[in-house]
Amino acid sequence: MDNRREFIIKSGLLLGASFLPFPSCAFSDGNRKLGVALVGLGYYSTDLLAPALQQTEYCELRGIVTGSPEKIPVWQQKYGIKDSNVYNYENMVDIANNDDIDVIYIVLPTGLHAEYAIKAANTGKHVWCEKPMARTAEECQQIIDACKKNKVKLSIGYRMQHEKNTQTIMKWAETKPYGEIKNVISEAGYNGGTINPWKLKKEMGGGAIYDMGVYSINAARYSTGLEPLAVTATQSTNRPEIFTEVDETTSFKMEFPGGIIVDGKTSFGESLNNLEVTAENGWYYLRPMQSYSGVRGKTSDGKILSPMDKNQQAVQMDDDSLAILNDKPLLVPGEEGMKDIHIVEKINQAAANSSRVLI
């Protein structure tokens, strides 16, 4: 299937799943909600996913998997989690026998995603995996294979593809309201605050290119509706005493079909949050383009893309729940996450060898 046709199909699924009314007959047994177990109770689970699960319509928080016993009573008291739905990393295989839990959401450091996503798939439960999907494309494929073998659905936590203004940008990649796309600027990064120690470790999938770079890469792909052909890149750091193993900043240039050039950048030392598309007859942007809220934009002819008033993570998890309940394709399947990791590997190769690398 060529890139364009694949994008048309995907766009249709995106817009349909997000905006069409949900039929009352879609659930197999009334208004059942899917039970979600979060694996890893760090910042993202604690501050974002768990609160979002209090706003979802089609799924709810029912279980936790943690290696920190001191966190268990806090979570149980706050969210009413039963003793029988509390697991550690050694006994999480027993979730296979727990009818309360339908989905296992992997929210661990990137370097652990493959191991635990495969364990989750082997329980026979559906798998949600945070981005970036894994450290290598090979690991991504292993996750995909495990989910297919166990006949469970796999979704990657790309919340932006569930966000309404991002979906508009994706639609415009196909409809081209401002003519043929010529250039794209795609940047994601942050500066300030403490960097989680595992994000400084190569073996754990650390570095700006993994943590923030996948936003830039994915945006380059969805804003053009195409797949890149080649890439050049440079990597640098202003804090070599900290960034001994991974990149602090990566700048890359991606070549797309039709002569489209995407200038991408990601960093742990610079605040970056911009997606800008220049076409034959105008331009449009999202700025910020990947914040947890307040994603907004503007066009050259004065259109305003106002922020979505819903919680992004809640929308993401509801969309994924509907796909499971209705046995429909997911908005962001494992193959989508793997494409970005394949590109990450090529960017790292280009930077290491100071060369143009074909994708």
mmCIF file with all atom_site columns, all heavy atoms in Angstrom, residues 184 186-189 209 212-221 223 252 254 262-267 272 274-275 289-290:
data_model
loop_
_atom_site.group_PDB
_atom_site.id
_atom_site.type_symbol
_atom_site.label_atom_id
_atom_site.label_alt_id
_atom_site.label_comp_id
_atom_site.label_asym_id
_atom_site.label_entity_id
_atom_site.label_seq_id
_atom_site.pdbx_PDB_ins_code
_atom_site.Cartn_x
_atom_site.Cartn_y
_atom_site.Cartn_z
_atom_site.occupancy
_atom_site.B_iso_or_equiv
_atom_site.pdbx_formal_charge
_atom_site.auth_seq_id
_atom_site.auth_comp_id
_atom_site.auth_asym_id
_atom_site.auth_atom_id
_atom_site.pdbx_PDB_model_num
ATOM 1   N N   . VAL A 1 184 ? 8.584  21.895 6.285  1.00 0.00 ? 184 VAL A N   1
ATOM 2   C CA  . VAL A 1 184 ? 8.014  21.728 7.619  1.00 0.00 ? 184 VAL A CA  1
ATOM 3   C C   . VAL A 1 184 ? 9.111  21.955 8.650  1.00 0.00 ? 184 VAL A C   1
ATOM 4   O O   . VAL A 1 184 ? 10.250 21.522 8.464  1.00 0.00 ? 184 VAL A O   1
ATOM 5   C CB  . VAL A 1 184 ? 7.418  20.311 7.813  1.00 0.00 ? 184 VAL A CB  1
ATOM 6   C CG1 . VAL A 1 184 ? 6.922  20.125 9.243  1.00 0.00 ? 184 VAL A CG1 1
ATOM 7   C CG2 . VAL A 1 184 ? 6.285  20.068 6.821  1.00 0.00 ? 184 VAL A CG2 1
ATOM 8   N N   . SER A 1 186 ? 9.677  21.086 12.624 1.00 0.00 ? 186 SER A N   1
ATOM 9   C CA  . SER A 1 186 ? 9.086  20.254 13.680 1.00 0.00 ? 186 SER A CA  1
ATOM 10  C C   . SER A 1 186 ? 10.065 20.170 14.841 1.00 0.00 ? 186 SER A C   1
ATOM 11  O O   . SER A 1 186 ? 11.129 19.550 14.732 1.00 0.00 ? 186 SER A O   1
ATOM 12  C CB  . SER A 1 186 ? 8.771  18.861 13.131 1.00 0.00 ? 186 SER A CB  1
ATOM 13  O OG  . SER A 1 186 ? 8.112  18.080 14.087 1.00 0.00 ? 186 SER A OG  1
ATOM 14  N N   . GLU A 1 187 ? 9.705  20.791 15.975 1.00 0.00 ? 187 GLU A N   1
ATOM 15  C CA  . GLU A 1 187 ? 10.634 20.920 17.100 1.00 0.00 ? 187 GLU A CA  1
ATOM 16  C C   . GLU A 1 187 ? 9.949  20.584 18.420 1.00 0.00 ? 187 GLU A C   1
ATOM 17  O O   . GLU A 1 187 ? 8.831  21.028 18.682 1.00 0.00 ? 187 GLU A O   1
ATOM 18  C CB  . GLU A 1 187 ? 11.150 22.359 17.177 1.00 0.00 ? 187 GLU A CB  1
ATOM 19  C CG  . GLU A 1 187 ? 11.828 22.845 15.903 1.00 0.00 ? 187 GLU A CG  1
ATOM 20  C CD  . GLU A 1 187 ? 12.139 24.329 15.948 1.00 0.00 ? 187 GLU A CD  1
ATOM 21  O OE1 . GLU A 1 187 ? 11.242 25.105 16.372 1.00 0.00 ? 187 GLU A OE1 1
ATOM 22  O OE2 . GLU A 1 187 ? 13.261 24.706 15.565 1.00 0.00 ? 187 GLU A OE2 1
ATOM 23  N N   . ALA A 1 188 ? 10.623 19.802 19.235 1.00 0.00 ? 188 ALA A N   1
ATOM 24  C CA  . ALA A 1 188 ? 10.092 19.455 20.554 1.00 0.00 ? 188 ALA A CA  1
ATOM 25  C C   . ALA A 1 188 ? 11.239 19.294 21.540 1.00 0.00 ? 188 ALA A C   1
ATOM 26  O O   . ALA A 1 188 ? 12.172 18.527 21.296 1.00 0.00 ? 188 ALA A O   1
ATOM 27  C CB  . ALA A 1 188 ? 9.273  18.167 20.481 1.00 0.00 ? 188 ALA A CB  1
ATOM 28  N N   . GLY A 1 189 ? 11.177 20.017 22.639 1.00 0.00 ? 189 GLY A N   1
ATOM 29  C CA  . GLY A 1 189 ? 12.222 19.912 23.646 1.00 0.00 ? 189 GLY A CA  1
ATOM 30  C C   . GLY A 1 189 ? 11.871 20.725 24.871 1.00 0.00 ? 189 GLY A C   1
ATOM 31  O O   . GLY A 1 189 ? 10.891 21.475 24.873 1.00 0.00 ? 189 GLY A O   1
ATOM 32  N N   . ILE A 1 209 ? 16.531 12.453 21.675 1.00 0.00 ? 209 ILE A N   1
ATOM 33  C CA  . ILE A 1 209 ? 15.965 11.927 20.431 1.00 0.00 ? 209 ILE A CA  1
ATOM 34  C C   . ILE A 1 209 ? 14.870 10.905 20.698 1.00 0.00 ? 209 ILE A C   1
ATOM 35  O O   . ILE A 1 209 ? 13.899 10.797 19.945 1.00 0.00 ? 209 ILE A O   1
ATOM 36  C CB  . ILE A 1 209 ? 17.072 11.339 19.521 1.00 0.00 ? 209 ILE A CB  1
ATOM 37  C CG1 . ILE A 1 209 ? 16.518 11.025 18.127 1.00 0.00 ? 209 ILE A CG1 1
ATOM 38  C CG2 . ILE A 1 209 ? 17.712 10.119 20.155 1.00 0.00 ? 209 ILE A CG2 1
ATOM 39  C CD1 . ILE A 1 209 ? 15.985 12.203 17.380 1.00 0.00 ? 209 ILE A CD1 1
ATOM 40  N N   . MET A 1 212 ? 11.892 13.192 23.497 1.00 0.00 ? 212 MET A N   1
ATOM 41  C CA  . MET A 1 212 ? 11.164 14.279 22.848 1.00 0.00 ? 212 MET A CA  1
ATOM 42  C C   . MET A 1 212 ? 11.212 14.200 21.331 1.00 0.00 ? 212 MET A C   1
ATOM 43  O O   . MET A 1 212 ? 10.330 14.709 20.642 1.00 0.00 ? 212 MET A O   1
ATOM 44  C CB  . MET A 1 212 ? 11.734 15.631 23.304 1.00 0.00 ? 212 MET A CB  1
ATOM 45  C CG  . MET A 1 212 ? 11.665 15.864 24.799 1.00 0.00 ? 212 MET A CG  1
ATOM 46  S SD  . MET A 1 212 ? 9.980  15.809 25.455 1.00 0.00 ? 212 MET A SD  1
ATOM 47  C CE  . MET A 1 212 ? 9.279  17.281 24.721 1.00 0.00 ? 212 MET A CE  1
ATOM 48  N N   . GLY A 1 213 ? 12.233 13.550 20.816 1.00 0.00 ? 213 GLY A N   1
ATOM 49  C CA  . GLY A 1 213 ? 12.416 13.495 19.370 1.00 0.00 ? 213 GLY A CA  1
ATOM 50  C C   . GLY A 1 213 ? 11.303 12.788 18.629 1.00 0.00 ? 213 GLY A C   1
ATOM 51  O O   . GLY A 1 213 ? 10.992 13.130 17.482 1.00 0.00 ? 213 GLY A O   1
ATOM 52  N N   . VAL A 1 214 ? 10.692 11.790 19.283 1.00 0.00 ? 214 VAL A N   1
ATOM 53  C CA  . VAL A 1 214 ? 9.610  11.086 18.586 1.00 0.00 ? 214 VAL A CA  1
ATOM 54  C C   . VAL A 1 214 ? 8.424  12.007 18.318 1.00 0.00 ? 214 VAL A C   1
ATOM 55  O O   . VAL A 1 214 ? 7.666  11.786 17.372 1.00 0.00 ? 214 VAL A O   1
ATOM 56  C CB  . VAL A 1 214 ? 9.157  9.821  19.347 1.00 0.00 ? 214 VAL A CB  1
ATOM 57  C CG1 . VAL A 1 214 ? 10.229 8.749  19.302 1.00 0.00 ? 214 VAL A CG1 1
ATOM 58  C CG2 . VAL A 1 214 ? 8.754  10.135 20.770 1.00 0.00 ? 214 VAL A CG2 1
ATOM 59  N N   . TYR A 1 215 ? 8.237  13.062 19.123 1.00 0.00 ? 215 TYR A N   1
ATOM 60  C CA  . TYR A 1 215 ? 7.202  14.051 18.815 1.00 0.00 ? 215 TYR A CA  1
ATOM 61  C C   . TYR A 1 215 ? 7.520  14.746 17.491 1.00 0.00 ? 215 TYR A C   1
ATOM 62  O O   . TYR A 1 215 ? 6.658  14.917 16.635 1.00 0.00 ? 215 TYR A O   1
ATOM 63  C CB  . TYR A 1 215 ? 7.102  15.102 19.919 1.00 0.00 ? 215 TYR A CB  1
ATOM 64  C CG  . TYR A 1 215 ? 6.484  14.641 21.206 1.00 0.00 ? 215 TYR A CG  1
ATOM 65  C CD1 . TYR A 1 215 ? 7.227  14.614 22.385 1.00 0.00 ? 215 TYR A CD1 1
ATOM 66  C CD2 . TYR A 1 215 ? 5.145  14.258 21.268 1.00 0.00 ? 215 TYR A CD2 1
ATOM 67  C CE1 . TYR A 1 215 ? 6.660  14.205 23.579 1.00 0.00 ? 215 TYR A CE1 1
ATOM 68  C CE2 . TYR A 1 215 ? 4.572  13.847 22.470 1.00 0.00 ? 215 TYR A CE2 1
ATOM 69  C CZ  . TYR A 1 215 ? 5.341  13.822 23.617 1.00 0.00 ? 215 TYR A CZ  1
ATOM 70  O OH  . TYR A 1 215 ? 4.776  13.412 24.807 1.00 0.00 ? 215 TYR A OH  1
ATOM 71  N N   . SER A 1 216 ? 8.786  15.169 17.343 1.00 0.00 ? 216 SER A N   1
ATOM 72  C CA  . SER A 1 216 ? 9.198  15.865 16.125 1.00 0.00 ? 216 SER A CA  1
ATOM 73  C C   . SER A 1 216 ? 9.096  14.956 14.910 1.00 0.00 ? 216 SER A C   1
ATOM 74  O O   . SER A 1 216 ? 8.625  15.368 13.846 1.00 0.00 ? 216 SER A O   1
ATOM 75  C CB  . SER A 1 216 ? 10.650 16.365 16.270 1.00 0.00 ? 216 SER A CB  1
ATOM 76  O OG  . SER A 1 216 ? 10.789 17.225 17.363 1.00 0.00 ? 216 SER A OG  1
ATOM 77  N N   . ILE A 1 217 ? 9.546  13.711 15.076 1.00 0.00 ? 217 ILE A N   1
ATOM 78  C CA  . ILE A 1 217 ? 9.529  12.760 13.967 1.00 0.00 ? 217 ILE A CA  1
ATOM 79  C C   . ILE A 1 217 ? 8.105  12.408 13.570 1.00 0.00 ? 217 ILE A C   1
ATOM 80  O O   . ILE A 1 217 ? 7.741  12.425 12.385 1.00 0.00 ? 217 ILE A O   1
ATOM 81  C CB  . ILE A 1 217 ? 10.320 11.496 14.349 1.00 0.00 ? 217 ILE A CB  1
ATOM 82  C CG1 . ILE A 1 217 ? 11.798 11.827 14.533 1.00 0.00 ? 217 ILE A CG1 1
ATOM 83  C CG2 . ILE A 1 217 ? 10.144 10.399 13.292 1.00 0.00 ? 217 ILE A CG2 1
ATOM 84  C CD1 . ILE A 1 217 ? 12.590 10.732 15.220 1.00 0.00 ? 217 ILE A CD1 1
ATOM 85  N N   . ASN A 1 218 ? 7.274  12.094 14.556 1.00 0.00 ? 218 ASN A N   1
ATOM 86  C CA  . ASN A 1 218 ? 5.900  11.725 14.262 1.00 0.00 ? 218 ASN A CA  1
ATOM 87  C C   . ASN A 1 218 ? 5.152  12.888 13.620 1.00 0.00 ? 218 ASN A C   1
ATOM 88  O O   . ASN A 1 218 ? 4.375  12.695 12.676 1.00 0.00 ? 218 ASN A O   1
ATOM 89  C CB  . ASN A 1 218 ? 5.198  11.262 15.540 1.00 0.00 ? 218 ASN A CB  1
ATOM 90  C CG  . ASN A 1 218 ? 3.963  10.444 15.266 1.00 0.00 ? 218 ASN A CG  1
ATOM 91  O OD1 . ASN A 1 218 ? 2.842  10.881 15.532 1.00 0.00 ? 218 ASN A OD1 1
ATOM 92  N ND2 . ASN A 1 218 ? 4.130  9.247  14.721 1.00 0.00 ? 218 ASN A ND2 1
ATOM 93  N N   . ALA A 1 219 ? 5.401  14.105 14.100 1.00 0.00 ? 219 ALA A N   1
ATOM 94  C CA  . ALA A 1 219 ? 4.748  15.281 13.528 1.00 0.00 ? 219 ALA A CA  1
ATOM 95  C C   . ALA A 1 219 ? 5.182  15.508 12.087 1.00 0.00 ? 219 ALA A C   1
ATOM 96  O O   . ALA A 1 219 ? 4.376  15.910 11.237 1.00 0.00 ? 219 ALA A O   1
ATOM 97  C CB  . ALA A 1 219 ? 5.053  16.520 14.365 1.00 0.00 ? 219 ALA A CB  1
ATOM 98  N N   . ALA A 1 220 ? 6.457  15.252 11.803 1.00 0.00 ? 220 ALA A N   1
ATOM 99  C CA  . ALA A 1 220 ? 6.934  15.371 10.413 1.00 0.00 ? 220 ALA A CA  1
ATOM 100 C C   . ALA A 1 220 ? 6.175  14.425 9.506  1.00 0.00 ? 220 ALA A C   1
ATOM 101 O O   . ALA A 1 220 ? 5.812  14.771 8.373  1.00 0.00 ? 220 ALA A O   1
ATOM 102 C CB  . ALA A 1 220 ? 8.435  15.076 10.357 1.00 0.00 ? 220 ALA A CB  1
ATOM 103 N N   . ARG A 1 221 ? 5.898  13.235 9.996  1.00 0.00 ? 221 ARG A N   1
ATOM 104 C CA  . ARG A 1 221 ? 5.202  12.226 9.201  1.00 0.00 ? 221 ARG A CA  1
ATOM 105 C C   . ARG A 1 221 ? 3.720  12.549 9.065  1.00 0.00 ? 221 ARG A C   1
ATOM 106 O O   . ARG A 1 221 ? 3.162  12.489 7.980  1.00 0.00 ? 221 ARG A O   1
ATOM 107 C CB  . ARG A 1 221 ? 5.405  10.841 9.824  1.00 0.00 ? 221 ARG A CB  1
ATOM 108 C CG  . ARG A 1 221 ? 6.846  10.364 9.771  1.00 0.00 ? 221 ARG A CG  1
ATOM 109 C CD  . ARG A 1 221 ? 7.059  9.030  10.491 1.00 0.00 ? 221 ARG A CD  1
ATOM 110 N NE  . ARG A 1 221 ? 6.075  8.061  10.048 1.00 0.00 ? 221 ARG A NE  1
ATOM 111 C CZ  . ARG A 1 221 ? 5.219  7.431  10.861 1.00 0.00 ? 221 ARG A CZ  1
ATOM 112 N NH1 . ARG A 1 221 ? 5.233  7.676  12.175 1.00 0.00 ? 221 ARG A NH1 1
ATOM 113 N NH2 . ARG A 1 221 ? 4.361  6.566  10.378 1.00 0.00 ? 221 ARG A NH2 1
ATOM 114 N N   . SER A 1 223 ? 2.177  15.456 9.454  1.00 0.00 ? 223 SER A N   1
ATOM 115 C CA  . SER A 1 223 ? 1.892  16.746 8.817  1.00 0.00 ? 223 SER A CA  1
ATOM 116 C C   . SER A 1 223 ? 2.117  16.710 7.308  1.00 0.00 ? 223 SER A C   1
ATOM 117 O O   . SER A 1 223 ? 1.624  17.586 6.587  1.00 0.00 ? 223 SER A O   1
ATOM 118 C CB  . SER A 1 223 ? 2.747  17.860 9.436  1.00 0.00 ? 223 SER A CB  1
ATOM 119 O OG  . SER A 1 223 ? 4.119  17.639 9.187  1.00 0.00 ? 223 SER A OG  1
ATOM 120 N N   . PHE A 1 252 ? 18.051 17.544 12.916 1.00 0.00 ? 252 PHE A N   1
ATOM 121 C CA  . PHE A 1 252 ? 18.033 16.643 11.775 1.00 0.00 ? 252 PHE A CA  1
ATOM 122 C C   . PHE A 1 252 ? 17.242 17.244 10.621 1.00 0.00 ? 252 PHE A C   1
ATOM 123 O O   . PHE A 1 252 ? 16.344 18.065 10.814 1.00 0.00 ? 252 PHE A O   1
ATOM 124 C CB  . PHE A 1 252 ? 17.464 15.269 12.162 1.00 0.00 ? 252 PHE A CB  1
ATOM 125 C CG  . PHE A 1 252 ? 16.117 15.305 12.829 1.00 0.00 ? 252 PHE A CG  1
ATOM 126 C CD1 . PHE A 1 252 ? 14.946 15.179 12.105 1.00 0.00 ? 252 PHE A CD1 1
ATOM 127 C CD2 . PHE A 1 252 ? 16.017 15.458 14.212 1.00 0.00 ? 252 PHE A CD2 1
ATOM 128 C CE1 . PHE A 1 252 ? 13.712 15.202 12.718 1.00 0.00 ? 252 PHE A CE1 1
ATOM 129 C CE2 . PHE A 1 252 ? 14.774 15.483 14.840 1.00 0.00 ? 252 PHE A CE2 1
ATOM 130 C CZ  . PHE A 1 252 ? 13.616 15.357 14.094 1.00 0.00 ? 252 PHE A CZ  1
ATOM 131 N N   . MET A 1 254 ? 15.103 15.916 7.305  1.00 0.00 ? 254 MET A N   1
ATOM 132 C CA  . MET A 1 254 ? 14.487 14.749 6.687  1.00 0.00 ? 254 MET A CA  1
ATOM 133 C C   . MET A 1 254 ? 14.010 15.099 5.283  1.00 0.00 ? 254 MET A C   1
ATOM 134 O O   . MET A 1 254 ? 13.383 16.146 5.070  1.00 0.00 ? 254 MET A O   1
ATOM 135 C CB  . MET A 1 254 ? 13.320 14.241 7.536  1.00 0.00 ? 254 MET A CB  1
ATOM 136 C CG  . MET A 1 254 ? 13.714 13.882 8.956  1.00 0.00 ? 254 MET A CG  1
ATOM 137 S SD  . MET A 1 254 ? 12.286 13.585 10.056 1.00 0.00 ? 254 MET A SD  1
ATOM 138 C CE  . MET A 1 254 ? 11.716 12.024 9.447  1.00 0.00 ? 254 MET A CE  1
ATOM 139 N N   . VAL A 1 262 ? 11.941 18.568 5.836  1.00 0.00 ? 262 VAL A N   1
ATOM 140 C CA  . VAL A 1 262 ? 11.533 18.813 7.216  1.00 0.00 ? 262 VAL A CA  1
ATOM 141 C C   . VAL A 1 262 ? 12.779 19.094 8.050  1.00 0.00 ? 262 VAL A C   1
ATOM 142 O O   . VAL A 1 262 ? 13.708 18.279 8.091  1.00 0.00 ? 262 VAL A O   1
ATOM 143 C CB  . VAL A 1 262 ? 10.784 17.614 7.811  1.00 0.00 ? 262 VAL A CB  1
ATOM 144 C CG1 . VAL A 1 262 ? 10.483 17.853 9.288  1.00 0.00 ? 262 VAL A CG1 1
ATOM 145 C CG2 . VAL A 1 262 ? 9.482  17.359 7.045  1.00 0.00 ? 262 VAL A CG2 1
ATOM 146 N N   . ASP A 1 263 ? 12.801 20.250 8.685  1.00 0.00 ? 263 ASP A N   1
ATOM 147 C CA  . ASP A 1 263 ? 13.864 20.592 9.618  1.00 0.00 ? 263 ASP A CA  1
ATOM 148 C C   . ASP A 1 263 ? 13.380 20.259 11.021 1.00 0.00 ? 263 ASP A C   1
ATOM 149 O O   . ASP A 1 263 ? 12.427 20.871 11.526 1.00 0.00 ? 263 ASP A O   1
ATOM 150 C CB  . ASP A 1 263 ? 14.224 22.075 9.520  1.00 0.00 ? 263 ASP A CB  1
ATOM 151 C CG  . ASP A 1 263 ? 14.935 22.403 8.220  1.00 0.00 ? 263 ASP A CG  1
ATOM 152 O OD1 . ASP A 1 263 ? 16.005 21.813 7.985  1.00 0.00 ? 263 ASP A OD1 1
ATOM 153 O OD2 . ASP A 1 263 ? 14.413 23.221 7.443  1.00 0.00 ? 263 ASP A OD2 1
ATOM 154 N N   . GLY A 1 264 ? 14.027 19.285 11.647 1.00 0.00 ? 264 GLY A N   1
ATOM 155 C CA  . GLY A 1 264 ? 13.610 18.833 12.959 1.00 0.00 ? 264 GLY A CA  1
ATOM 156 C C   . GLY A 1 264 ? 14.654 19.116 14.020 1.00 0.00 ? 264 GLY A C   1
ATOM 157 O O   . GLY A 1 264 ? 15.854 19.198 13.722 1.00 0.00 ? 264 GLY A O   1
ATOM 158 N N   . LYS A 1 265 ? 14.188 19.255 15.233 1.00 0.00 ? 265 LYS A N   1
ATOM 159 C CA  . LYS A 1 265 ? 15.107 19.483 16.348 1.00 0.00 ? 265 LYS A CA  1
ATOM 160 C C   . LYS A 1 265 ? 14.461 18.992 17.629 1.00 0.00 ? 265 LYS A C   1
ATOM 161 O O   . LYS A 1 265 ? 13.248 19.107 17.812 1.00 0.00 ? 265 LYS A O   1
ATOM 162 C CB  . LYS A 1 265 ? 15.455 20.963 16.471 1.00 0.00 ? 265 LYS A CB  1
ATOM 163 C CG  . LYS A 1 265 ? 16.585 21.266 17.454 1.00 0.00 ? 265 LYS A CG  1
ATOM 164 C CD  . LYS A 1 265 ? 16.962 22.744 17.411 1.00 0.00 ? 265 LYS A CD  1
ATOM 165 C CE  . LYS A 1 265 ? 18.163 23.054 18.287 1.00 0.00 ? 265 LYS A CE  1
ATOM 166 N NZ  . LYS A 1 265 ? 18.515 24.489 18.265 1.00 0.00 ? 265 LYS A NZ  1
ATOM 167 N N   . THR A 1 266 ? 15.295 18.453 18.508 1.00 0.00 ? 266 THR A N   1
ATOM 168 C CA  . THR A 1 266 ? 14.817 18.030 19.819 1.00 0.00 ? 266 THR A CA  1
ATOM 169 C C   . THR A 1 266 ? 15.919 18.270 20.838 1.00 0.00 ? 266 THR A C   1
ATOM 170 O O   . THR A 1 266 ? 17.107 18.204 20.498 1.00 0.00 ? 266 THR A O   1
ATOM 171 C CB  . THR A 1 266 ? 14.391 16.553 19.801 1.00 0.00 ? 266 THR A CB  1
ATOM 172 O OG1 . THR A 1 266 ? 13.840 16.204 21.064 1.00 0.00 ? 266 THR A OG1 1
ATOM 173 C CG2 . THR A 1 266 ? 15.563 15.636 19.508 1.00 0.00 ? 266 THR A CG2 1
ATOM 174 N N   . SER A 1 267 ? 15.541 18.547 22.077 1.00 0.00 ? 267 SER A N   1
ATOM 175 C CA  . SER A 1 267 ? 16.564 18.940 23.042 1.00 0.00 ? 267 SER A CA  1
ATOM 176 C C   . SER A 1 267 ? 16.099 18.777 24.481 1.00 0.00 ? 267 SER A C   1
ATOM 177 O O   . SER A 1 267 ? 14.910 18.890 24.784 1.00 0.00 ? 267 SER A O   1
ATOM 178 C CB  . SER A 1 267 ? 16.963 20.400 22.801 1.00 0.00 ? 267 SER A CB  1
ATOM 179 O OG  . SER A 1 267 ? 17.967 20.815 23.704 1.00 0.00 ? 267 SER A OG  1
ATOM 180 N N   . LEU A 1 272 ? 11.436 23.916 23.105 1.00 0.00 ? 272 LEU A N   1
ATOM 181 C CA  . LEU A 1 272 ? 11.003 23.831 21.709 1.00 0.00 ? 272 LEU A CA  1
ATOM 182 C C   . LEU A 1 272 ? 9.624  23.199 21.679 1.00 0.00 ? 272 LEU A C   1
ATOM 183 O O   . LEU A 1 272 ? 9.393  22.152 22.289 1.00 0.00 ? 272 LEU A O   1
ATOM 184 C CB  . LEU A 1 272 ? 11.967 22.959 20.897 1.00 0.00 ? 272 LEU A CB  1
ATOM 185 C CG  . LEU A 1 272 ? 13.447 23.339 20.891 1.00 0.00 ? 272 LEU A CG  1
ATOM 186 C CD1 . LEU A 1 272 ? 14.277 22.184 20.342 1.00 0.00 ? 272 LEU A CD1 1
ATOM 187 C CD2 . LEU A 1 272 ? 13.657 24.591 20.045 1.00 0.00 ? 272 LEU A CD2 1
ATOM 188 N N   . ASN A 1 274 ? 7.007  23.464 18.514 1.00 0.00 ? 274 ASN A N   1
ATOM 189 C CA  . ASN A 1 274 ? 6.565  24.157 17.324 1.00 0.00 ? 274 ASN A CA  1
ATOM 190 C C   . ASN A 1 274 ? 6.451  23.208 16.137 1.00 0.00 ? 274 ASN A C   1
ATOM 191 O O   . ASN A 1 274 ? 7.356  22.433 15.864 1.00 0.00 ? 274 ASN A O   1
ATOM 192 C CB  . ASN A 1 274 ? 7.569  25.273 16.987 1.00 0.00 ? 274 ASN A CB  1
ATOM 193 C CG  . ASN A 1 274 ? 7.199  26.034 15.730 1.00 0.00 ? 274 ASN A CG  1
ATOM 194 O OD1 . ASN A 1 274 ? 6.059  26.415 15.539 1.00 0.00 ? 274 ASN A OD1 1
ATOM 195 N ND2 . ASN A 1 274 ? 8.180  26.246 14.861 1.00 0.00 ? 274 ASN A ND2 1
ATOM 196 N N   . LEU A 1 275 ? 5.317  23.274 15.452 1.00 0.00 ? 275 LEU A N   1
ATOM 197 C CA  . LEU A 1 275 ? 5.127  22.579 14.181 1.00 0.00 ? 275 LEU A CA  1
ATOM 198 C C   . LEU A 1 275 ? 4.633  23.605 13.178 1.00 0.00 ? 275 LEU A C   1
ATOM 199 O O   . LEU A 1 275 ? 3.556  24.190 13.361 1.00 0.00 ? 275 LEU A O   1
ATOM 200 C CB  . LEU A 1 275 ? 4.105  21.444 14.317 1.00 0.00 ? 275 LEU A CB  1
ATOM 201 C CG  . LEU A 1 275 ? 3.730  20.717 13.023 1.00 0.00 ? 275 LEU A CG  1
ATOM 202 C CD1 . LEU A 1 275 ? 4.946  20.023 12.407 1.00 0.00 ? 275 LEU A CD1 1
ATOM 203 C CD2 . LEU A 1 275 ? 2.605  19.725 13.265 1.00 0.00 ? 275 LEU A CD2 1
ATOM 204 N N   . MET A 1 289 ? 2.802  22.543 20.095 1.00 0.00 ? 289 MET A N   1
ATOM 205 C CA  . MET A 1 289 ? 2.270  21.435 19.308 1.00 0.00 ? 289 MET A CA  1
ATOM 206 C C   . MET A 1 289 ? 2.234  20.117 20.067 1.00 0.00 ? 289 MET A C   1
ATOM 207 O O   . MET A 1 289 ? 1.619  19.163 19.595 1.00 0.00 ? 289 MET A O   1
ATOM 208 C CB  . MET A 1 289 ? 3.062  21.262 18.005 1.00 0.00 ? 289 MET A CB  1
ATOM 209 C CG  . MET A 1 289 ? 4.498  20.797 18.168 1.00 0.00 ? 289 MET A CG  1
ATOM 210 S SD  . MET A 1 289 ? 4.685  19.000 18.004 1.00 0.00 ? 289 MET A SD  1
ATOM 211 C CE  . MET A 1 289 ? 6.412  18.880 17.552 1.00 0.00 ? 289 MET A CE  1
ATOM 212 N N   . GLN A 1 290 ? 2.850  20.037 21.265 1.00 0.00 ? 290 GLN A N   1
ATOM 213 C CA  . GLN A 1 290 ? 2.817  18.765 21.987 1.00 0.00 ? 290 GLN A CA  1
ATOM 214 C C   . GLN A 1 290 ? 2.703  18.924 23.504 1.00 0.00 ? 290 GLN A C   1
ATOM 215 O O   . GLN A 1 290 ? 3.048  18.018 24.245 1.00 0.00 ? 290 GLN A O   1
ATOM 216 C CB  . GLN A 1 290 ? 4.036  17.905 21.620 1.00 0.00 ? 290 GLN A CB  1
ATOM 217 C CG  . GLN A 1 290 ? 5.413  18.573 21.775 1.00 0.00 ? 290 GLN A CG  1
ATOM 218 C CD  . GLN A 1 290 ? 5.923  18.624 23.205 1.00 0.00 ? 290 GLN A CD  1
ATOM 219 O OE1 . GLN A 1 290 ? 5.553  17.801 24.038 1.00 0.00 ? 290 GLN A OE1 1
ATOM 220 N NE2 . GLN A 1 290 ? 6.763  19.597 23.493 1.00 0.00 ? 290 GLN A NE2 1
#
